[in-house]
Amino acid sequence: AKQVQEGLVALMKQIHASHPQLRAILLECTELPHYADALRAATGLPVLDAITLVDYFQSSCTTAPSFARKVLEGFLGVLNPLVAASAVVKITHATL
């Protein structure tokens, strides 16, 4: 787990340096959320997983916002879900 975390952090630092306009990281693989805190600390970017993002999109269409929506908007500010999706980098097993 330590080697995987170090590799993910190094890779994300490299991606973030190449694309400074990034506003968030989406961990698409269900095995990667374990490393979200390390990625968040290394990059200063919000890190979310696919389940949290789906919850955010779903709650953006309701009158009672969910916890995920409140958290993401706290990180990113009030935003259009389509804008949020366009500013996310995916790290998948294929990226590794």
Side-chain angles (χ1 to χ4, degrees):
K2 185 177 179 179
Q3 286 180 314
V4 172
Q5 180 172 310
E6 291 171 354
L8 284 173
V9 167
L11 177 64
M12 197 59 234
K13 283 182 175 181
Q14 180 183 4
I15 291 170
H16 192 217
S18 298
H19 304 281
Q21 74 279 13
L22 293 179
R23 297 194 52 203
I25 301 168
L26 170 61
L27 301 173
E28 188 177 60
C29 178
T30 57
E31 294 181 19
L32 295 177
H34 174 75
Y35 306 104
D37 288 338
L39 292 169
R40 193 176 296 111
T43 63
L45 295 172
V47 179
L48 49 136
D49 58 74
I51 294 168
T52 304
L53 191 59
V54 167
D55 184 47
Y56 170 75
F57 282 111
Q58 180 181 5
S59 70
S60 70
C61 301
T62 68
T63 57
S66 71
F67 175 76
R69 180 176 177 185
K70 292 174 189 173
V71 169
L72 289 173
E73 287 182 351
F75 279 126
L76 302 171
V78 177
L79 31 95
N80 178 331
L82 296 175
V83 173
S86 69
V88 174
V89 150
K90 294 186 292 183
I91 298 178
T92 66
H93 69 281
T95 308
L96 306 175

